[in-house]
Amino acid sequence: MPSEEQISVAIIPEFEVDEALDAKLRAFLCELFPNWESIFRTRRTWHDAKPIFTVLATNKNGAIAGHVAIVERTISTEWNCRYPVASVQGVSVAPSRRGEGLARKLIDMALDESRRIGYLYAILFCREPLVQFYSRLGWKLPYDPMIMWRDRELPIHMQSDYPMYYELTQEPFPGGSIDVHNPF
Ligand SMILES: CC(C)(COP(=O)(O)OP(=O)(O)OC[C@H]1O[C@@H](n2cnc3c(N)ncnc32)[C@H](O)[C@@H]1OP(=O)(O)O)[C@@H](O)C(=O)NCCC(=O)NCCS
């Protein structure tokens, strides 16, 4: 049953995240992703990237109810076309607020803002049980491999090994295998 408590949702650009908020966000991520505590104890995103912005839901008392971060990555195609993409990270809703459509709302806001910034595509990597969740929200599984690279030579073995993509405009997602890099 939806909780009566009001929550506020805001888009926070990275330059507005001070030390205290950074620590609060990392504490939330450590709690929601206990298996990845070693990552979130020191930073909020994967593979040396910084968020561009965070979509944050908070209760009236300031406690975090939900979180989504957007990091920029570059994808390159088999034909060496390159696109900057919005990479969705840290999708999480506090257990007491689940089932109210909050994750959908946070992801929609993150995608709207990414579209406004000018990205054509969003991507994410998730685990198999979450594929159905993201499919419900309009995300698609690529036909061909999508591989994350640490640098130009070293592929990353992803713990979340189901890549998905979302088309932010009418422009179709490129076919063929896709490499994902930190921006360069
Ligand atoms: C996954 C998670 C973010 C969902 O948050 P939520 O606020 O309860 O999700 P919503 O209420 O917005 O659900 C949106 C839709 O997905 C469905 N859904 C929710 N969780 C689902 C799941 N685990 N599997 C499949 N579908 C799911 C809902 O039924 C709803 O569908 P509908 O709109 O067609 O009725 C939340 O359970 C969570 O934080 N889990 C732990 C962290 C995690 O695994 N994050 C994902 C990292 S990739």
Side-chain angles (χ1 to χ4, degrees):
M1 192 157 107
S3 155
E4 295 296 312
E5 197 188 351
Q6 281 294 319
I7 57 168
S8 340
V9 181
I11 294 176
I12 304 173
E14 189 59 15
F15 66 81
E16 284 182 14
V17 178
D18 60 16
E19 234 173 82
L21 181 55
D22 174 61
K24 188 170 162 179
L25 293 170
R26 283 188 291 100
F28 180 76
L29 292 170
C30 285
E31 201 181 314
L32 275 275
F33 298 99
N35 293 345
W36 297 330
E37 197 196 337
S38 60
I39 302 284
F40 295 131
R41 215 176 319 137
T42 56
R43 53 189 190 273
R44 280 177 280 129
T45 55
W46 290 89
H47 313 308
D48 306 328
K50 260 198 148 188
I52 301 170
F53 65 87
T54 299
V55 187
L56 192 62
T58 45
N59 295 332
K60 223 163 49 183
N61 64 5
I64 298 176
H67 167 278
V68 173
I70 295 290
V71 162
E72 182 174 297
R73 303 239 186 252
T74 302
I75 58 168
S76 56
T77 69
E78 284 176 1
W79 300 278
N80 211 20
C81 295
R82 287 171 186 275
Y83 304 89
V85 295
S87 172
V88 172
Q89 307 221 341
V91 173
S92 42
V93 168
S96 62
R97 304 303 306 231
R98 289 184 191 162
E100 300 175 22
L102 186 53
R104 180 190 284 275
K105 182 172 182 172
L106 297 177
I107 293 169
D108 281 353
M109 282 178 71
L111 295 178
D112 284 347
E113 179 66 2
S114 300
R115 190 180 295 109
R116 192 192 65 75
I117 291 171
Y119 295 108
L120 296 180
Y121 314 112
I123 62 164
L124 58 77
F125 289 85
C126 69
R127 289 172 183 247
E128 196 277 332
L130 270 300
V131 168
Q132 196 197 356
F133 164 70
Y134 287 112
S135 300
R136 257 193 164 95
L137 305 188
W139 288 77
K140 295 175 189 160
L141 287 167
Y143 288 111
D144 298 300
M146 196 152 118
I147 297 167
M148 176 85 204
W149 295 84
R150 189 172 303 284
D151 54 33
R152 282 162 208 259
E153 269 123 50
L154 193 61
I156 296 179
H157 172 71
M158 300 294 284
Q159 297 186 39
S160 298
D161 50 359
Y162 278 75
M164 299 187 82
Y165 68 88
Y166 189 99
E167 289 156 345
L168 293 165
T169 69
Q170 300 292 319
E171 206 61 47
F173 194 72
S177 68
I178 296 288
D179 290 334
V180 183
H181 324 261
N182 276 325
F184 61 77

